[in-house]
Amino acid sequence: MAQFGPSIIDVHTPSSSFAILYSDTEDSLETLFDKLSKKTVVELNGRHVRPGWVKYEWNGTVWNLDDASDYAIFAWRLKSATGTTPNDGWPVLFVRNPDRPLPSPPDYQNPSFYVFRPKPSPPSPRLPATPESSSLESGKSRKRGKEPKPHDAAPKFKKEFEKFHNENGVRTITGSIGPVNNVRMLLKSGYRHVYISRKFAIKNGFIPKDASPGHYGYSGIVNLGKWPITVGRTRTVHAVYLTEESHFDVVLGRSFVERRQVKFDAVDPTDVVCGDTGEKIDCELVILKDGKGQIVTVT
């Protein structure tokens, strides 16, 4: 349904919610930032809203609203919206200064802000069919059902172990460390620091190619100094250690998780949010197996 005259757009921040009037004929990205700045003058300590501070939700996905190109798409989507609520395709804005940490309890957390929205509950397990609910079987199907099933020699505990790890895996994200881009990294708070493997370190010049025991040797973990790590749009500097871990080139441990205020979802293990900026990070689950197909557990 086409909109005539000013439209009302809901706006949510980490601590408050309000609405603004928007006109597709009178407003621009600059005037939109001006309106948002006036409404958030207290929460943002008088700072003017700028690129990187505004996002909007459209059709269930959160999008950036940083430049003229983003704004042109936003305005077109607003014109093409068929309803007047987010569930009907109507955009809603989010404003936050990424340089400031998100509020944490006991401070108020706005449940309408996309980072703080409650997660959907997991689906209920499907109950097995009972004899009463099953349809009547023909004589042929009953006969087939009496045939012995092939025997699975694997112990029950082993099958349960493999099922558990096949459903979980380990979290991995993509980022850069030092001059090396597009590195698949293990994200696991069970490790204390940030580590890189010996093979990766030699290949990319973090240590000399002729490194041998006693020189970046195997007698213990070696501190390689501080290196920049970029995940999402944010770059942070961390102490990096050499390790003999061979499964992953880079391991992001507790020092990274705490620095970026990483939040994990108990229901969806791929739902990873960096609390320092509010960014949702693309995460994939990886299941490691050795040459015999056996699951390798990463502790």
Side-chain angles (χ1 to χ4, degrees):
M1 179 175 65
Q3 300 293 321
F4 300 96
S7 305
I8 298 176
I9 302 180
D10 292 337
V11 185
H12 304 295
T13 76
S15 303
S16 63
S17 296
F18 55 89
I20 60 172
L21 287 176
Y22 170 84
S23 171
D24 60 338
T25 59
E26 298 178 3
D27 277 316
S28 63
L29 183 62
E30 290 72 21
T31 61
L32 184 62
F33 282 2
D34 288 341
K35 290 181 179 181
L36 296 173
S37 298
K38 291 177 181 177
K39 299 289 287 188
T40 58
V41 62
V42 175
E43 186 171 344
L44 299 180
N45 294 326
R47 298 188 66 182
H48 194 277
V49 173
R50 62 191 65 189
W53 291 21
V54 182
K55 299 179 185 292
Y56 69 96
E57 181 180 18
W58 188 75
N59 281 354
T61 302
V62 177
W63 305 81
N64 291 338
L65 189 55
D66 296 336
D67 52 30
S69 177
D70 293 337
Y71 179 78
I73 297 172
F74 168 77
W76 176 84
R77 286 171 170 170
L78 197 61
K79 289 181 180 179
S80 64
T82 58
T84 57
T85 67
N87 292 333
D88 297 328
W90 188 254
V92 58
L93 293 175
F94 304 104
V95 182
R96 174 180 178 259
N97 178 1
D99 296 330
R100 298 183 59 187
L102 288 165
S104 56
D107 295 334
Y108 175 71
Q109 295 177 323
N110 183 5
S112 296
F113 191 69
Y114 69 101
V115 175
F116 297 137
R117 285 178 179 169
K119 306 298 180 183
S121 57
S124 301
R126 187 175 179 179
L127 296 176
T130 61
E132 292 77 8
S133 64
S134 302
S135 60
L136 293 176
E137 298 176 329
S138 65
K140 184 177 180 180
S141 63
R142 285 197 301 270
K143 183 177 180 181
R144 184 183 299 114
K146 294 180 181 178
E147 294 177 358
K149 296 181 180 179
H151 178 65
D152 188 352
K156 181 180 178 181
F157 76 88
K158 182 176 181 180
K159 289 187 289 185
E160 292 178 346
F161 175 84
E162 292 185 351
K163 181 177 182 293
F164 172 80
H165 284 282
N166 281 331
E167 291 176 347
N168 290 276
V170 291
R171 295 182 179 92
T172 64
I173 58 178
T174 301
S176 65
I177 178 168
V180 189
N181 298 319
N182 297 320
V183 181
R184 175 65 57 182
M185 307 178 182
L186 172 65
L187 182 61
K188 196 170 182 67
S189 57
Y191 291 86
R192 185 175 182 181
H193 300 292
V194 174
Y195 306 89
I196 60 176
S197 69
R198 176 176 294 271
K199 181 178 179 181
F200 179 82
I202 293 176
K203 178 181 178 182
N204 295 284
F206 289 90
I207 63 175
K209 291 186 177 181
D210 59 351
S212 59
H215 300 85
Y216 302 100
Y218 297 85
S219 58
I221 296 177
V222 179
N223 189 335
L224 300 181
K226 292 188 176 182
W227 290 88
I229 297 176
T230 303
V231 172
R233 299 194 307 269
T234 304
R235 177 183 179 183
T236 50
V237 178
H238 301 265
V240 175
Y241 294 81
L242 183 68
T243 179
E244 305 308 324
E245 163 66 45
S246 59
H247 299 114
F248 292 94
D249 293 331
V250 179
V251 177
L252 302 178
R254 191 161 62 252
S255 62
F256 177 87
V257 171
E258 293 177 351
R259 174 75 177 275
R260 294 296 310 273
Q261 302 175 32
V262 178
K263 295 183 178 180
F264 302 111
D265 186 88
V267 177
D268 182 2
T270 63
D271 189 353
V272 177
V273 176
C274 288
D276 58 343
T277 61
E279 288 183 81
K280 185 173 182 179
I281 305 300
D282 291 333
C283 176
E284 294 183 9
L285 294 185
V286 173
I287 301 167
L288 299 178
K289 294 187 177 182
D290 60 19
K292 297 181 180 180
Q294 301 297 315
I295 294 174
V296 177
T297 304
V298 180
T299 57

